[in-house]
Amino acid sequence: MRRAVLAITGLAASTTALVVLKGSPGTSQAGQDLPADQASVAPGASGPGVTPAPGPAGSGPAPSTRPSAGASRTPDTKQTGVTAKATTAAPRTTTTAPKPSTRTVTGPTVTYRYGSLQVQITLSGTRIVNATGLGMPQSGGSGLRSDDVQARYSGTSGEVVAKQSANLNTVSGATYTSNAYKQSLQAAIDKA
Amino acid sequence: MTSQDTYAAGRRTGTSVPHGGRSAAPVPPPPPPALPRRGPGGRRALATVFWLGLVAAVLPWWLDTPAGSLADTPDLLTGAGRITGLVAGYLLLVQVAMMSRLGALERWVGGERLSRLHRDLGATLLVAVLAHLSLIVVAYAGLEEKSILGEVGSLLRDYEDMVSAFVAAGIMVAVGFTGIRAIRTVLPYELWYHLHLTSYAALLLGFGHQVSNGAQLFEAGPVRTGWIAAYLLVLAALAWGRVIAPLHFNLRHRLRVADVVAESPDTISIYLTGRRLNQIDVLGGQYFRWRFLNVGGWWQSHPFSLSAAANGRWLRLTVKVVGAHTADLRDLRPGTRVWAEGPSGTFTAAHRTRERALLIAGGSGIAPLRAMLEELPAGAALIYRARTPADVLLHPELDWLAQARRTSVWYVIGSRHDPGPRQVMSPEGLRRLVPDVTRRDVYLCGPAGLVDEAVRVLRRAGVPRRQIHLATFEL
Ligand SMILES: Cc1cc2nc3c(=O)[nH]c(=O)nc-3n(C[C@H](O)[C@H](O)[C@H](O)COP(=O)(O)OP(=O)(O)OC[C@H]3O[C@@H](n4cnc5c(N)ncnc54)[C@H](O)[C@@H]3O)c2cc1C
């Protein structure tokens, strides 16, 4: 009994500790960010049977994603703070000058295990206001996974808009689709 | 009346002073024990394997999650949900592995300790499963901006293997709650047991969603391969421990009831014979799970200790009638086939840490101690608590062993409130009887109340915990 209480307390404490350790970006961790990110990209790219890496021909995914992901993440939370201010300021400018400043950028087609997809983002200035995956599988289990990914990431209130980066939380059960999405998205962000 | 027969510290047999001795006399160094020692090494190795496995289960999540990537609440909840999910998947495996009755586990850790660990780990598993489920549901509901119920609906509808995962969680909750002692004791043992068997279904039903939806396990690669391999390994252990090894044992030894004799009004001894009994690797103090293959009994398996050390000619159990099954055993016919699973347990002379031992028995708890006495080095001491003289089992044998093995035996008769027993079961009383008690291994077997009380007294008398060995007849 005493052991059970200890074990349960240990479970709660260590889960919290792990999550907090990974959760806090902290300035001191900016340097560590890069290798950690690299590590998370590398297994996906080098894992057996994973096609995303060689997929986007010529875009050299690893080197291109690394610096930008690192750069965009560190100020992540700060950036959302800034954009929040920007949006409060935005209405004024839009009311005075309804400049058609939105543009769409489409990422490269990424081929992966269950098909291929392309991510299209809509930007207003430098801020992403919408995103959508194109050409994602429609049927069967992979279709369902695509729907999950689409539901999580895309749209005006999806994770892409919320986070303003390709540093998205992988959707459970849709790792391939998530990775492909993130890859095309990253390339689109780089292009924009 | 019992008072006259209350030989609290009064009677002793088999030492140089036949009567009225006060303490276990120091004995010249005994010849080196022939018994192989089984230290705690195996147990420590298994503990190491357990912790390494736990780290290995969570490590993929750690490596897959970039630092600083869990920015908002749903992310944090998802992260915690995934960790608890991995922990739950791993603990479920460990739970089943511990119950696989693998010979090595039963010899190194012992059935009683295994079931204690199993109970504690079970509570942890239950909490991990509930945490995993609620964290993931709440997190996903937050991410998709749905209600909790709506999210559960979409998980069940849209995700692969989630229906079976929810069924598995339901089973684990049911098993976990009926494992709570207060609930367990009011349930018939068989109901509890068979409900427990459904946890194998939970193992299989819960597996699908781990590889189809688990963020760390979905992707083919070393992590997924390792996880699947661990599951296969546990299934193999189950098949080995529960089917193949018992089949081999029973085909080899073909045990049968030879005789059933009454030891007291409510206690019987069952003698078994069979083939190649001299090749059974069993130690005094160990137990088997027995199935008596007659009309009413074949579907029930009950643990009983051997009450005599292996002698190559027969095996014996001494059984106190406490319920329906043990009552039926009185009517066993000679010739009845017997299915045995074991041996199990670390309650043996081979697990001692010191040269000499003190044994404390209550009621039918004398059975394993009687067997162990044959294998302990000379100079052991036995305190036998019984309510009335008629409750003293195997009395002639104990007297004989006391002579042959130079063992001091005290029969302490009476209720626990009588002065004799009260005096013996106190730190001072114990020290008077056995002055070197702190330098002995103490083996306790009997009703839970007696055992708990004795542990308290021994600790107060200064006996280190690792020198105290318990058997409570409870799994
Ligand atoms: C390791 C071990 C060694 C034992 N050695 C002996 C022995 O040498 N001599 C002896 O008289 N008794 C021994 N017992 C106790 C014996 O197993 C129970 O008394 C017997 O199973 C009771 O069955 P019942 O149907 O007659 O009684 P019930 O009234 O049905 O059960 C009484 C209690 O026994 C326990 N029990 C019942 N069935 C089982 C089972 N299948 N497996 C485990 N526990 C069960 C339960 O806790 C229950 O509450 C031992 C128990 C254990 C765990």
Side-chain angles (χ1 to χ4, degrees):
Chain A
M1 193 54 212
R2 210 174 29 160
R3 206 166 19 208
V5 171
L6 268 177
I8 291 164
T9 322
L11 173 71
S14 48
T15 304
T16 312
L18 283 175
V19 168
V20 167
L21 276 175
K22 282 295 186 189
S24 56
T27 37
S28 61
Q29 268 189 321
Q32 290 170 9
D33 245 7
L34 289 172
D37 188 46
Q38 209 175 349
S40 76
V41 172
S46 62
V50 185
T51 38
S59 72
S64 74
T65 42
R66 207 189 321 139
S68 45
S72 67
R73 181 145 12 74
T74 328
D76 206 5
T77 39
K78 272 173 243 140
Q79 199 177 339
T80 37
V82 170
T83 43
K85 256 178 260 154
T87 35
T88 45
R92 240 175 284 142
T93 41
T94 36
T95 41
T96 47
K99 217 171 33 168
S101 66
T102 57
R103 56 209 169 90
T104 56
V105 180
T106 308
T109 303
V110 175
T111 311
Y112 64 104
R113 190 172 179 168
Y114 298 110
S116 59
L117 61 75
Q118 240 182 325
V119 176
Q120 190 175 59
I121 50 176
T122 309
L123 296 110
S124 168
T126 57
R127 180 177 156 72
I128 304 171
V129 294
N130 199 356
T132 187
L134 306 174
M136 296 168 80
Q138 296 300 311
S139 62
S142 41
L144 280 177
R145 294 194 177 108
S146 305
D147 293 347
D148 289 343
V149 171
Q150 191 76 287
R152 256 339 138 63
Y153 292 168
S154 301
T156 49
S157 58
E159 219 174 301
V160 175
V161 172
K163 293 205 167 166
Q164 296 291 315
S165 82
N167 176 29
L168 309 172
N169 199 0
T170 300
V171 178
S172 268
T175 312
Y176 292 100
T177 313
S178 301
N179 285 345
Y181 192 110
K182 285 188 260 187
Q183 200 162 0
S184 181
L185 172 64
Q186 184 64 56
I189 292 174
D190 291 348
K191 223 176 359 169
Chain B
M1 293 308 291
T2 56
S3 53
Q4 277 81 2
D5 295 339
T6 305
Y7 308 113
R11 171 169 166 185
R12 195 165 51 132
T13 43
T15 53
S16 45
V17 189
H19 293 287
R22 288 267 130 202
S23 61
V27 173
L35 209 58
R37 295 290 276 263
R38 292 177 184 169
R43 207 165 74 222
R44 294 209 187 109
L46 287 172
T48 313
V49 169
F50 168 81
W51 289 109
L52 286 179
L54 185 61
V55 170
V58 182
L59 196 63
W61 176 85
W62 178 263
L63 296 177
D64 270 3
T65 309
S69 68
L70 307 178
D72 45 22
T73 316
D75 283 354
L76 288 171
L77 293 178
T78 311
R82 286 181 181 160
I83 295 171
T84 46
L86 291 167
V87 170
Y90 174 69
L91 288 187
L92 179 59
L93 266 191
V94 174
Q95 283 289 76
V96 175
M98 286 206 302
M99 290 297 110
S100 66
R101 311 242 171 111
L102 218 52
L105 283 174
E106 302 274 312
R107 273 193 307 273
W108 291 345
V109 189
E112 301 102 322
R113 186 183 267 108
L114 275 175
S115 56
R116 268 201 311 276
L117 288 171
H118 183 76
R119 209 159 31 227
D120 293 341
L121 216 55
T124 317
L125 170 60
L126 181 64
V127 170
V129 166
L130 291 175
H132 168 62
L133 199 131
S134 38
L135 285 166
I136 290 286
V137 168
V138 171
Y140 281 20
L143 283 171
E144 289 170 7
E145 291 173 346
K146 286 196 185 136
S147 70
I148 303 279
L149 271 183
E151 185 56 47
V152 170
S154 97
L155 281 174
L156 287 174
R157 238 178 302 111
D158 303 341
Y159 285 68
E160 270 175 65
D161 301 318
M162 281 314 290
V163 177
S164 59
F166 270 78
V167 173
I171 291 176
M172 282 192 267
V173 169
V175 169
F177 274 106
T178 52
I180 295 173
R181 199 177 292 247
I183 300 175
R184 176 181 164 180
T185 45
V186 299
L187 295 177
Y189 180 87
E190 264 71 35
L191 176 69
W192 171 84
Y193 177 77
H194 288 109
L195 190 68
H196 242 76
L197 283 187
T198 57
S199 28
Y200 295 137
L203 184 73
L204 300 179
L205 288 170
F207 182 74
H209 90 288
Q210 301 171 6
V211 289
S212 57
N213 296 316
Q216 273 72 47
L217 300 170
F218 170 66
E219 225 171 285
V223 174
R224 176 167 153 160
T225 311
W227 193 261
I228 294 175
Y231 265 74
L232 290 178
L233 215 63
V234 167
L235 288 180
L238 263 187
W240 182 267
R242 294 246 174 191
V243 183
I244 299 171
L247 210 59
H248 178 248
F249 180 92
N250 286 286
L251 289 178
R252 188 174 160 82
H253 299 297
R254 297 178 185 272
L255 301 174
R256 286 177 186 279
V257 174
D259 205 359
V260 178
V261 302
E263 299 285 356
S264 82
D266 64 352
T267 310
I268 52 168
S269 279
I270 303 171
Y271 288 80
L272 307 174
T273 53
R275 294 203 230 151
R276 296 186 248 219
L277 293 188
N278 56 341
Q279 289 169 25
I280 298 181
D281 180 20
V282 59
L283 298 172
Q286 288 190 304
Y287 65 92
F288 288 79
R289 293 177 175 85
W290 308 94
R291 240 175 240 281
F292 296 93
L293 304 181
N294 57 10
V295 181
W298 62 270
W299 54 277
Q300 291 194 66
S301 154
H302 287 249
F304 296 105
S305 316
L306 293 186
S307 62
N311 58 27
R313 288 171 292 128
W314 43 261
L315 304 173
R316 185 183 66 184
L317 348 173
T318 299
V319 174
K320 185 175 160 72
V321 175
V322 296
H325 181 72
T326 41
D328 289 345
L329 292 183
R330 287 183 295 197
D331 304 326
L332 271 181
R333 304 231 149 277
T336 305
R337 293 291 300 266
V338 181
W339 179 270
E341 286 181 41
S344 173
T346 55
F347 193 70
T348 78
H351 289 85
R352 72 187 188 280
T353 61
R354 300 303 186 103
E355 226 15 63
R356 268 185 291 168
L358 165 64
L359 317 182
I360 302 179
S364 58
I366 192 65
L369 296 179
R370 151 72 183 82
M372 198 188 298
L373 267 182
E374 294 182 60
E375 290 170 354
L376 282 166
L382 167 67
I383 297 175
Y384 189 176
R385 284 281 291 110
R387 212 163 294 248
T388 71
D391 291 322
V392 172
L393 305 173
L394 312 173
H395 198 157
E397 287 179 31
L398 291 172
D399 286 347
W400 169 77
L401 271 173
Q403 294 285 354
R405 315 269 318 165
R406 276 182 297 163
T407 304
S408 319
V409 179
W410 291 276
Y411 300 96
V412 182
I413 315 286
S415 111
R416 80 171 84 165
H417 304 296
D418 288 347
R422 253 199 8 231
Q423 199 232 340
V424 172
M425 296 311 278
S426 70
E428 304 73 41
L430 273 182
R431 272 198 295 258
R432 196 161 327 131
L433 230 50
V434 191
D436 60 347
V437 60
T438 56
R439 277 171 290 140
R440 288 178 184 247
D441 282 84
V442 184
Y443 291 87
L444 289 167
C445 186
L450 173 87
V451 168
D452 293 346
E453 173 62 22
V455 170
R456 248 195 315 277
V457 171
L458 287 164
R459 296 289 290 141
R460 270 197 285 142
V463 180
R465 194 174 284 282
R466 66 190 170 82
Q467 277 165 239
I468 303 179
H469 311 260
L470 311 176
T472 49
F473 284 179
E474 221 180 83
L475 288 181

